[in-house]
Amino acid sequence: GINDEGQLGIDSTYPIKKFILAIPSGAKTVAAGDHHSVVVKDDGTVWATGENAAGQLGGGSKISRNKFSLINSIFNWKVRQGGAKLVAAGSFHTMVLRQDGSVWVTGWNKYGQIGDGSNIDWTKFSQVISGDATAVAAGAIHSMALKQDGSVWSTGGNTFGQLGDGSTTDRYSFVQVISSGVTAISAGAYHSMVLKQDGSVWSTGRNEYGQLGDGSSTDKVSFVEVVPNGVKAVAAGDAHSMVLKQDGSVWGTGDNHAGQLGDGSTTDRLVFVEVVSSGATAVAAGAYHSMVLQQDGSLWAT
């Protein structure tokens, strides 16, 4: 893909048109922001590459990198002790979930997306949740955390209602937006999705292209149910959404100008339509493309 800021981590800034090895071994979890990439390795260390103008790499500076580098900050020492588990990359900020359930964030913070109570950018990771988190998700200018009790917490930009707190007011600290029952979260550019224990999907935020999947193009400021049951995974893209159902089918809604829904058209959808009938085990949504992993290990994209 595009590599103008070194986001591929291959020690160059040339674009690459086929998959190329960036880290030879030991990677456990990966995340891609607008122009940066972050990796958690098996030993719990965090590595980052790409644009760093807002401090999103977390190494204590704003110097961009074109190859993956071990994050050199006090945070990294703490990661080694407790071990990083998951990572999420927003447009210009990065979230890390440690094994102890704490959440650490760095980078652009104009809208409060770091969640430390300020709007000051950080070049080193700052702890914003002390424990009990099980998942994190980063949108363009907002952040989400899922806790062990099934509650969902959000912070940051809220122009379109993407935090789901019933308002369009930006938040500078995490606020609880769902009290219980959630098993997975996903953040699009300006919308959010959650998967509940009963298999239902709920979404909130920007809906210009139908990305919420509620049959309208009206923004929502609180989570609304868009799929009643049967879902096991969700993925939010820039302005489209994908769900994987328990029967192995994949469904998509929202922006489709580049064919990112994979329904054979470039027509936007206001409700979820089936795009893969069976056999899927995982789904991912980029800005304007989608990927599906099948049971046989094959990868499909549109």
Side-chain angles (χ1 to χ4, degrees):
I2 192 171
N3 193 32
D4 58 326
E5 298 286 350
Q7 56 265 54
L8 300 188
I10 57 173
D11 202 17
S12 81
T13 54
Y14 293 103
I16 301 297
K17 296 183 179 180
K18 62 180 180 180
F19 281 97
I20 187 171
L21 183 65
I23 294 179
S25 63
K28 179 172 66 175
T29 304
V30 298
D34 271 19
H35 297 95
H36 74 291
S37 303
V38 189
V39 170
V40 175
K41 288 194 174 183
D42 290 330
D43 62 2
T45 57
V46 180
W47 298 65
T49 188
E51 183 185 4
N52 197 27
Q56 59 263 51
L57 301 189
S61 76
K62 292 188 176 183
I63 300 173
S64 298
R65 302 178 183 275
N66 58 23
K67 63 179 179 180
F68 282 98
S69 302
L70 179 67
I71 292 173
N72 182 20
S73 68
I74 189 171
F75 169 75
N76 190 63
W77 177 84
K78 295 187 180 208
V79 165
R80 290 192 195 200
Q81 303 306 306
K85 180 180 179 181
L86 296 173
V87 62
S91 288
F92 307 106
H93 71 290
T94 304
M95 307 178 71
V96 170
L97 171 65
R98 282 180 58 193
Q99 295 285 356
D100 63 6
S102 63
V103 176
W104 300 67
V105 191
T106 189
W108 193 36
N109 195 29
K110 179 179 180 180
Y111 299 97
Q113 56 264 52
I114 286 180
D116 70 333
S118 78
N119 62 352
I120 300 170
D121 296 348
W122 286 84
T123 61
K124 292 184 178 181
F125 283 91
S126 174
Q127 181 178 305
V128 292
I129 294 177
S130 59
D132 296 328
T134 60
V136 290
I141 57 173
H142 74 291
S143 302
M144 303 174 68
L146 172 64
K147 291 195 174 183
Q148 290 176 352
D149 61 5
S151 63
V152 177
W153 299 68
S154 302
T155 189
N158 199 25
T159 304
F160 302 99
Q162 60 263 46
L163 300 188
D165 68 344
S167 78
T168 56
T169 302
D170 297 345
R171 304 293 179 181
Y172 296 95
S173 300
F174 282 90
V175 294
Q176 187 182 84
V177 293
I178 295 178
S179 60
S180 63
V182 175
T183 60
I185 57 177
S186 185
Y190 302 104
H191 73 292
S192 303
M193 304 174 69
V194 302
L195 172 63
K196 291 196 174 182
Q197 291 174 340
D198 60 7
S200 63
V201 176
W202 299 64
S203 54
T204 189
R206 190 176 186 181
N207 198 28
E208 180 181 2
Y209 301 97
Q211 56 263 52
L212 300 189
D214 71 336
S216 79
S217 56
T218 304
D219 298 345
K220 300 294 187 294
V221 297
S222 298
F223 284 92
V224 294
E225 185 179 68
V226 293
V227 180
N229 54 57
V231 176
K232 70 175 183 179
V234 294
D238 188 90
H240 74 292
S241 302
M242 309 291 290
V243 301
L244 169 62
K245 290 196 173 182
Q246 294 166 356
D247 62 5
S249 63
V250 176
W251 300 63
T253 189
D255 183 21
N256 197 28
H257 77 275
Q260 55 264 54
L261 299 186
D263 67 345
S265 78
T266 55
T267 302
D268 297 346
R269 304 293 180 179
L270 301 182
V271 296
F272 285 93
V273 295
E274 187 178 68
V275 294
V276 175
S277 60
S278 63
T281 60
V283 63
Y288 308 114
H289 72 294
S290 303
M291 306 177 77
V292 172
L293 176 65
Q294 293 274 32
Q295 288 175 344
D296 62 4
S298 62
L299 185 65
W300 297 66
T302 185

